[in-house]
Amino acid sequence: TFQRQLQQSDCQNVLMKKVFDTHMLFLQINQSAAALKHVFAALRLFVGKFPSAFFQGQADLCGSLCYEILKCCNHRSRSTQTEASALLYFFMRKNFEFNKQKSIVRSHLQLIKAVSQLIADAGIGGSRFQHSLAIINNFANGDKQMKNVNFPAEVKDLTKRIRTVLMATAQMKEHEKDPEMLVDLQYSLANSYASTPELRRTWLESMAKIHARNGDLSEAAMCYIHIAALIAEYLKRKGKINIFKTSCVSINII
């Protein structure tokens, strides 16, 4: 009924956000496995009908959906894990098709970011989550329509990168009672994403939370200043601001 209104401004509008948030609410509130099956079916239809909402313009909706689906990939119900993995594969495939079979850059970035956030928020990474990653890889291997393009290789690369992040955080788990060592590992991980500002910011925020939890407030503040500098530098390069003549260098004074 409201398809025309939902598609306005390439699906970047207030009504689309409200419809999307309603869909997300079903994943954010505990549901039965039977109800979730219908939620996943509705989301497949939603992504199929309005790909622009996720793969064009702002990345907010894409990031939120990736976060909630990944959370379901860690679900205790095997059927929900399988459904979530199938939806995630479908989502990446749609991204690939939307980009004229060139790449899945947006879903790749948002999924790595979501994994990084979920490690801090929900402690994912156990056997249930590994099982879901294996399902996604199996979908990529068995997808005959995608056999002659680089999509399966991109999916494998993404799952490999997710496992790398999980391994790094497993090391962190070993040192959770040693705050200095833990933050040192987080700092290394943040630096490894120096070329991806959004992910670096995610890990710096995670570091700030640990510092604040340990009562190290000046260190937490330092993390937030780093984030501010990162954003200032990014905006300067994009030509969006001229507040700082020398961008993040000005923040050194603080």
Side-chain angles (χ1 to χ4, degrees):
T1 305
F2 297 99
Q3 191 160 342
R4 188 174 52 80
Q5 292 95 316
L6 284 164
Q7 285 175 329
Q8 278 177 358
S9 308
D10 289 323
C11 298
Q12 309 292 313
N13 58 69
V14 176
L15 183 63
M16 174 57 79
K17 180 80 170 73
K18 285 182 179 178
V19 173
F20 175 76
D21 286 346
T22 307
H23 276 82
M24 287 300 94
L25 204 58
F26 284 107
L27 293 178
Q28 289 156 358
I29 297 169
N30 284 334
Q31 309 285 351
S32 68
L36 278 171
K37 195 172 182 181
H38 295 290
V39 175
F40 290 132
L43 281 167
R44 277 196 299 276
L45 191 65
F46 188 50
V47 172
K49 244 186 162 96
F50 305 107
S52 302
F54 302 97
F55 309 126
Q56 205 164 296
Q58 294 290 318
D60 301 5
L61 302 193
C62 181
S64 299
L65 184 61
C66 287
Y67 182 89
E68 295 301 337
I69 300 174
L70 280 174
K71 219 159 64 171
C72 291
C73 286
N74 203 41
H75 202 275
R76 60 184 174 275
S77 158
R78 269 293 162 100
S79 64
T80 300
Q81 278 177 45
T82 306
E83 289 277 348
S85 304
L87 175 58
L88 200 53
Y89 181 76
F90 172 79
F91 187 71
M92 290 189 281
R93 199 173 188 265
K94 274 284 165 200
N95 189 183
F96 189 72
E97 287 165 1
F98 189 83
N99 284 351
K100 298 182 172 59
Q101 300 201 338
K102 286 177 188 166
S103 72
I104 55 166
V105 168
R106 173 163 288 194
S107 50
H108 182 123
L109 176 63
Q110 294 304 321
L111 282 164
I112 295 283
K113 188 183 171 191
V115 167
S116 309
Q117 287 170 328
L118 276 164
I119 287 160
D121 299 347
I124 61 164
S127 58
R128 290 195 299 231
F129 193 74
Q130 295 289 353
H131 175 70
S132 293
L133 291 179
I135 292 171
I136 292 165
N137 270 332
N138 287 341
F139 279 131
N141 291 332
D143 195 337
K144 287 174 185 173
Q145 287 179 308
M146 292 284 163
K147 214 168 188 178
N148 299 319
V149 290
N150 66 336
F151 178 65
E154 290 217 22
V155 172
K156 280 177 197 166
D157 178 54
L158 174 58
T159 53
K160 188 181 169 186
R161 281 174 185 267
I162 290 173
R163 286 195 174 103
T164 304
V165 172
L166 293 173
M167 277 167 64
T169 45
Q171 270 187 303
M172 290 178 200
K173 194 86 180 151
E174 287 174 36
H175 298 284
E176 63 186 347
K177 291 192 173 120
D178 181 351
E180 281 82 12
M181 186 66 183
L182 177 60
V183 170
D184 206 44
L185 286 165
Q186 287 236 329
Y187 183 63
S188 300
L189 200 53
N191 283 346
S192 72
Y193 285 112
S195 60
T196 317
E198 215 169 336
L199 293 175
R200 187 150 190 243
R201 177 190 163 179
T202 302
W203 282 106
L204 286 167
E205 279 174 346
S206 186
M207 274 173 68
K209 282 180 190 173
I210 293 168
H211 279 311
R213 212 163 45 225
N214 294 328
D216 301 327
L217 301 183
S218 55
E219 285 85 347
M222 191 67 82
C223 289
Y224 287 122
I225 291 165
H226 268 283
I227 292 167
L230 196 64
I231 293 168
E233 185 70 25
Y234 180 76
L235 290 174
K236 187 195 172 209
R237 289 182 185 196
K238 282 274 188 183
K240 303 271 185 189
I241 56 165
N242 55 10
I243 303 165
F244 302 116
K245 281 181 185 169
T246 50
S247 176
C248 70
V249 178
S250 304
I251 296 175
N252 276 338
I253 305 156
I254 305 166

Coordinates of all heavy atoms in Angstrom, one line a residue, residues 76-132:
R76 N 20.4 -20.2 20.9 CA 20.5 -21.6 21.4 C 19.7 -22.6 20.5 O 20.0 -23.8 20.5 CB 20.1 -21.7 22.8 CG 18.7 -21.2 23.1 CD 18.3 -21.3 24.6 NE 17.0 -20.7 24.9 CZ 16.8 -19.4 25.0 NH1 17.7 -18.6 24.9 NH2 15.5 -19.0 25.3
S77 N 18.7 -22.1 19.7 CA 17.9 -23.0 18.9 C 18.6 -23.2 17.6 O 19.0 -22.2 16.9 CB 16.5 -22.4 18.7 OG 16.0 -22.9 17.5
R78 N 18.9 -24.5 17.2 CA 19.6 -24.8 15.9 C 18.8 -24.3 14.7 O 19.3 -23.8 13.8 CB 19.8 -26.3 15.8 CG 21.1 -26.8 16.4 CD 22.3 -26.3 15.6 NE 23.5 -26.4 16.3 CZ 24.4 -27.4 16.1 NH1 24.2 -28.3 15.2 NH2 25.6 -27.3 16.7
S79 N 17.4 -24.4 14.8 CA 16.6 -24.0 13.6 C 16.7 -22.5 13.5 O 16.8 -22.0 12.3 CB 15.2 -24.4 13.8 OG 14.6 -23.7 14.9
T80 N 16.8 -21.7 14.6 CA 16.9 -20.2 14.5 C 18.3 -19.9 13.9 O 18.5 -19.0 13.1 CB 16.7 -19.6 15.9 OG1 15.4 -19.9 16.3 CG2 16.9 -18.1 15.8
Q81 N 19.4 -20.6 14.4 CA 20.7 -20.4 13.8 C 20.7 -20.6 12.3 O 21.3 -19.7 11.6 CB 21.7 -21.4 14.4 CG 22.2 -21.1 15.8 CD 23.1 -22.2 16.3 OE1 23.9 -22.7 15.5 NE2 22.9 -22.6 17.5
T82 N 20.1 -21.7 11.8 CA 20.0 -22.0 10.4 C 19.3 -20.9 9.6 O 19.7 -20.4 8.6 CB 19.4 -23.3 10.2 OG1 20.1 -24.3 10.9 CG2 19.5 -23.7 8.7
E83 N 18.1 -20.5 10.2 CA 17.3 -19.4 9.6 C 18.1 -18.1 9.5 O 18.1 -17.4 8.5 CB 16.0 -19.2 10.3 CG 15.0 -20.3 10.2 CD 14.2 -20.2 9.0 OE1 14.2 -19.2 8.3 OE2 13.5 -21.2 8.7
A84 N 18.8 -17.7 10.6 CA 19.5 -16.5 10.6 C 20.7 -16.5 9.6 O 21.0 -15.6 8.9 CB 20.1 -16.3 12.1
S85 N 21.4 -17.7 9.6 CA 22.5 -17.9 8.6 C 22.0 -17.7 7.2 O 22.7 -17.1 6.3 CB 23.2 -19.2 8.8 OG 23.6 -19.4 10.2
A86 N 20.8 -18.3 6.9 CA 20.3 -18.3 5.5 C 19.9 -16.8 5.2 O 20.2 -16.4 4.1 CB 19.0 -19.1 5.5
L87 N 19.3 -16.1 6.2 CA 19.0 -14.7 5.9 C 20.2 -13.8 5.7 O 20.3 -13.0 4.8 CB 18.2 -14.1 7.1 CG 17.8 -12.6 7.1 CD1 17.0 -12.3 5.8 CD2 17.1 -12.2 8.3
L88 N 21.3 -14.1 6.5 CA 22.5 -13.4 6.3 C 23.2 -13.6 4.9 O 23.6 -12.7 4.3 CB 23.5 -13.8 7.4 CG 24.7 -12.8 7.7 CD1 24.1 -11.4 8.0 CD2 25.4 -13.3 8.9
Y89 N 23.1 -14.9 4.5 CA 23.7 -15.2 3.2 C 22.8 -14.5 2.1 O 23.4 -13.9 1.2 CB 23.6 -16.7 3.0 CG 24.2 -17.1 1.6 CD1 25.6 -17.1 1.4 CD2 23.4 -17.4 0.5 CE1 26.1 -17.4 0.1 CE2 23.9 -17.7 -0.7 CZ 25.2 -17.7 -0.9 OH 25.8 -18.0 -2.1
F90 N 21.5 -14.5 2.2 CA 20.6 -13.9 1.3 C 20.9 -12.4 1.2 O 20.9 -11.8 0.2 CB 19.2 -14.1 1.7 CG 18.1 -13.3 0.9 CD1 17.7 -13.7 -0.3 CD2 17.6 -12.2 1.5 CE1 16.8 -13.0 -1.1 CE2 16.6 -11.5 0.7 CZ 16.2 -11.9 -0.5
F91 N 21.2 -11.8 2.4 CA 21.5 -10.3 2.5 C 22.7 -10.0 1.8 O 22.8 -9.0 1.0 CB 21.6 -10.0 4.0 CG 21.7 -8.5 4.3 CD1 20.6 -7.7 4.1 CD2 22.9 -8.0 4.7 CE1 20.7 -6.3 4.4 CE2 23.0 -6.6 5.0 CZ 21.9 -5.8 4.8
M92 N 23.8 -10.8 2.0 CA 25.1 -10.6 1.3 C 24.9 -10.7 -0.2 O 25.5 -10.0 -1.0 CB 26.1 -11.5 1.8 CG 26.6 -11.2 3.2 SD 28.0 -12.2 3.7 CE 27.3 -13.7 4.1
R93 N 24.1 -11.7 -0.6 CA 23.9 -12.0 -2.1 C 23.2 -10.8 -2.7 O 23.5 -10.4 -3.8 CB 23.1 -13.3 -2.2 CG 23.1 -13.9 -3.6 CD 22.4 -15.2 -3.5 NE 22.6 -16.0 -4.7 CZ 21.7 -16.0 -5.7 NH1 20.6 -15.3 -5.7 NH2 21.9 -16.8 -6.8
K94 N 22.2 -10.3 -2.0 CA 21.4 -9.1 -2.5 C 22.4 -7.9 -2.6 O 22.3 -7.1 -3.6 CB 20.3 -8.7 -1.5 CG 19.0 -9.5 -1.8 CD 18.3 -8.9 -3.0 CE 17.2 -9.9 -3.5 NZ 16.9 -9.7 -4.9
N95 N 23.3 -7.7 -1.7 CA 24.3 -6.7 -1.7 C 25.2 -6.8 -3.0 O 25.4 -5.8 -3.7 CB 25.1 -6.7 -0.5 CG 26.1 -5.5 -0.3 OD1 26.9 -5.4 0.6 ND2 26.0 -4.5 -1.2
F96 N 25.6 -8.0 -3.3 CA 26.4 -8.3 -4.4 C 25.6 -8.0 -5.7 O 26.2 -7.4 -6.6 CB 26.8 -9.8 -4.4 CG 27.8 -10.2 -5.4 CD1 29.2 -9.8 -5.3 CD2 27.5 -11.0 -6.5 CE1 30.1 -10.1 -6.2 CE2 28.5 -11.3 -7.5 CZ 29.8 -10.9 -7.3
E97 N 24.4 -8.4 -5.8 CA 23.6 -8.2 -7.0 C 23.3 -6.7 -7.1 O 23.3 -6.1 -8.3 CB 22.2 -8.9 -6.9 CG 22.4 -10.4 -7.1 CD 21.2 -11.2 -6.6 OE1 20.2 -10.6 -6.2 OE2 21.2 -12.4 -6.7
F98 N 23.1 -6.0 -6.0 CA 22.8 -4.5 -6.0 C 24.0 -3.8 -6.6 O 23.9 -2.8 -7.3 CB 22.4 -4.0 -4.6 CG 21.9 -2.6 -4.6 CD1 20.6 -2.3 -4.8 CD2 22.8 -1.6 -4.2 CE1 20.2 -1.0 -4.8 CE2 22.4 -0.3 -4.2 CZ 21.0 0.0 -4.5
N99 N 25.2 -4.3 -6.2 CA 26.4 -3.6 -6.7 C 26.9 -4.1 -8.1 O 28.1 -4.1 -8.4 CB 27.6 -3.9 -5.7 CG 27.5 -3.0 -4.5 OD1 26.6 -2.1 -4.4 ND2 28.2 -3.3 -3.5
K100 N 25.9 -4.6 -8.8 CA 26.2 -5.1 -10.2 C 27.3 -6.2 -10.2 O 28.2 -6.2 -11.0 CB 26.6 -4.0 -11.1 CG 25.4 -3.0 -11.3 CD 25.8 -1.9 -12.3 CE 24.6 -1.0 -12.6 NZ 24.0 -0.3 -11.4
Q101 N 27.2 -7.1 -9.2 CA 28.1 -8.3 -9.1 C 29.6 -7.8 -9.0 O 30.5 -8.5 -9.5 CB 27.9 -9.2 -10.2 CG 26.5 -9.8 -10.3 CD 26.4 -11.1 -11.0 OE1 27.3 -11.4 -11.9 NE2 25.4 -11.9 -10.7
K102 N 29.9 -6.7 -8.3 CA 31.2 -6.3 -8.1 C 31.8 -6.6 -6.7 O 32.9 -7.1 -6.6 CB 31.3 -4.7 -8.3 CG 31.2 -4.4 -9.8 CD 31.2 -2.8 -10.0 CE 30.9 -2.5 -11.4 NZ 30.6 -1.0 -11.5
S103 N 31.0 -6.3 -5.7 CA 31.5 -6.6 -4.3 C 30.4 -6.6 -3.3 O 29.2 -6.2 -3.6 CB 32.5 -5.5 -3.9 OG 31.9 -4.3 -3.7
I104 N 30.8 -6.9 -2.0 CA 29.8 -6.8 -0.9 C 30.4 -5.9 0.2 O 30.3 -6.2 1.4 CB 29.5 -8.2 -0.3 CG1 30.7 -9.0 0.1 CG2 28.7 -9.0 -1.3 CD1 30.5 -10.2 1.0
V105 N 31.1 -4.8 -0.3 CA 31.8 -3.9 0.6 C 31.0 -3.5 1.8 O 31.4 -3.6 3.0 CB 32.4 -2.7 -0.1 CG1 32.9 -1.7 0.8 CG2 33.5 -3.1 -1.0
R106 N 29.7 -3.0 1.6 CA 28.9 -2.5 2.7 C 28.6 -3.5 3.7 O 28.8 -3.4 4.9 CB 27.7 -1.8 2.2 CG 26.8 -1.4 3.3 CD 25.7 -0.4 2.9 NE 26.3 0.9 2.7 CZ 25.5 2.0 2.6 NH1 24.2 1.9 2.8 NH2 26.1 3.2 2.4
S107 N 28.0 -4.7 3.3 CA 27.7 -5.7 4.2 C 28.9 -6.3 4.9 O 28.9 -6.6 6.1 CB 26.8 -6.8 3.6 OG 27.4 -7.3 2.4
H108 N 30.0 -6.4 4.2 CA 31.3 -6.8 4.8 C 31.7 -5.9 6.0 O 31.9 -6.4 7.1 CB 32.4 -6.8 3.7 CG 33.7 -7.3 4.2 ND1 34.4 -8.4 3.6 CD2 34.5 -7.0 5.2 CE1 35.5 -8.6 4.2 NE2 35.6 -7.7 5.2
L109 N 31.7 -4.6 5.7 CA 32.2 -3.7 6.7 C 31.2 -3.7 7.9 O 31.6 -3.7 9.1 CB 32.2 -2.3 6.1 CG 32.5 -1.1 7.1 CD1 33.9 -1.2 7.7 CD2 32.4 0.2 6.3
Q110 N 29.9 -3.7 7.6 CA 28.9 -3.6 8.7 C 28.9 -4.9 9.5 O 28.6 -4.8 10.7 CB 27.5 -3.3 8.1 CG 27.4 -1.9 7.5 CD 27.7 -0.8 8.5 OE1 27.4 -0.8 9.7 NE2 28.4 0.2 8.0
L111 N 29.1 -6.0 8.9 CA 29.2 -7.3 9.6 C 30.4 -7.4 10.6 O 30.3 -7.8 11.7 CB 29.1 -8.5 8.7 CG 27.8 -8.8 8.1 CD1 27.9 -9.7 6.9 CD2 26.8 -9.4 9.1
I112 N 31.5 -6.9 10.1 CA 32.7 -6.9 11.0 C 32.5 -6.0 12.1 O 32.8 -6.3 13.3 CB 34.0 -6.5 10.2 CG1 34.3 -7.6 9.1 CG2 35.2 -6.3 11.1 CD1 35.0 -8.8 9.6
K113 N 31.9 -4.8 11.8 CA 31.6 -3.8 12.9 C 30.6 -4.4 13.9 O 30.8 -4.3 15.1 CB 31.0 -2.6 12.2 CG 30.9 -1.4 13.2 CD 30.2 -0.3 12.6 CE 29.8 0.8 13.6 NZ 29.0 1.8 13.1
A114 N 29.6 -5.1 13.4 CA 28.6 -5.7 14.3 C 29.2 -6.8 15.2 O 28.9 -6.9 16.4 CB 27.5 -6.3 13.5
V115 N 30.1 -7.6 14.6 CA 30.8 -8.7 15.3 C 31.6 -8.0 16.5 O 31.6 -8.5 17.6 CB 31.8 -9.5 14.4 CG1 32.7 -10.4 15.3 CG2 30.9 -10.4 13.5
S116 N 32.3 -7.0 16.1 CA 33.2 -6.2 17.1 C 32.3 -5.7 18.3 O 32.7 -5.8 19.4 CB 33.9 -5.1 16.5 OG 34.6 -5.5 15.3
Q117 N 31.1 -5.2 17.9 CA 30.2 -4.7 19.0 C 29.6 -5.8 19.8 O 29.5 -5.7 21.0 CB 29.1 -3.9 18.3 CG 29.5 -2.6 17.8 CD 28.4 -1.9 16.9 OE1 27.6 -2.6 16.3 NE2 28.3 -0.6 16.9
L118 N 29.2 -6.9 19.1 CA 28.6 -8.0 19.8 C 29.5 -8.7 20.8 O 29.1 -9.2 21.9 CB 28.1 -9.0 18.8 CG 26.7 -8.7 18.3 CD1 26.4 -9.5 17.0 CD2 25.6 -9.0 19.3
I119 N 30.8 -8.7 20.5 CA 31.8 -9.3 21.4 C 31.8 -8.6 22.7 O 31.8 -9.2 23.8 CB 33.2 -9.3 20.8 CG1 33.3 -10.3 19.7 CG2 34.3 -9.6 21.8 CD1 34.4 -10.1 18.7
A120 N 31.7 -7.2 22.7 CA 31.6 -6.4 23.9 C 30.3 -6.5 24.6 O 30.2 -6.6 25.8 CB 31.9 -5.0 23.5
D121 N 29.2 -6.6 23.7 CA 27.8 -6.6 24.3 C 27.3 -7.9 24.8 O 26.6 -8.0 25.8 CB 26.8 -6.0 23.3 CG 27.2 -4.6 22.9 OD1 28.1 -4.0 23.6 OD2 26.7 -4.1 21.9
A122 N 27.5 -9.0 23.9 CA 26.9 -10.2 24.2 C 27.8 -11.4 24.3 O 27.4 -12.6 24.5 CB 25.8 -10.5 23.1
G123 N 29.1 -11.2 24.1 CA 30.1 -12.3 24.2 C 29.9 -13.4 23.2 O 29.9 -14.6 23.6
I124 N 29.7 -13.1 21.9 CA 29.5 -14.2 20.9 C 30.9 -14.8 20.6 O 31.9 -14.3 21.1 CB 28.9 -13.7 19.6 CG1 29.8 -12.6 19.0 CG2 27.5 -13.2 19.8 CD1 29.5 -12.3 17.6
G125 N 30.9 -15.9 19.9 CA 32.1 -16.5 19.4 C 32.3 -18.0 19.8 O 33.3 -18.6 19.4
G126 N 31.3 -18.6 20.5 CA 31.4 -20.0 20.8 C 31.1 -20.9 19.7 O 31.0 -20.5 18.5
S127 N 30.8 -22.2 20.0 CA 30.5 -23.2 19.0 C 29.3 -22.9 18.2 O 29.2 -23.2 17.0 CB 30.4 -24.6 19.7 OG 29.4 -24.6 20.6
R128 N 28.3 -22.3 18.9 CA 27.0 -22.0 18.1 C 27.3 -21.0 17.0 O 26.8 -21.2 15.9 CB 26.0 -21.4 19.1 CG 25.5 -22.4 20.1 CD 24.2 -21.9 20.8 NE 24.4 -20.7 21.6 CZ 24.1 -20.5 22.8 NH1 23.5 -21.5 23.5 NH2 24.2 -19.4 23.5
F129 N 28.1 -20.0 17.3 CA 28.4 -19.0 16.3 C 29.2 -19.5 15.2 O 29.0 -19.2 14.0 CB 29.0 -17.8 17.0 CG 29.1 -16.5 16.1 CD1 28.0 -15.8 15.8 CD2 30.3 -16.2 15.5 CE1 28.0 -14.7 15.0 CE2 30.4 -15.1 14.7 CZ 29.2 -14.3 14.4
Q130 N 30.2 -20.4 15.6 CA 31.1 -21.0 14.6 C 30.3 -21.9 13.6 O 30.5 -22.0 12.4 CB 32.2 -21.8 15.3 CG 33.2 -21.0 16.1 CD 34.1 -20.2 15.3 OE1 34.2 -20.3 14.1 NE2 34.9 -19.3 15.9
H131 N 29.2 -22.6 14.2 CA 28.3 -23.4 13.4 C 27.6 -22.6 12.4 O 27.5 -23.0 11.2 CB 27.3 -24.1 14.3 CG 26.3 -24.9 13.6 ND1 26.6 -26.1 13.0 CD2 25.0 -24.7 13.5 CE1 25.5 -26.6 12.4 NE2 24.5 -25.7 12.7
S132 N 27.2 -21.4 12.7 CA 26.5 -20.5 11.8 C 27.4 -20.0 10.7 O 27.0 -20.0 9.5 CB 25.9 -19.3 12.6 OG 24.9 -19.7 13.4

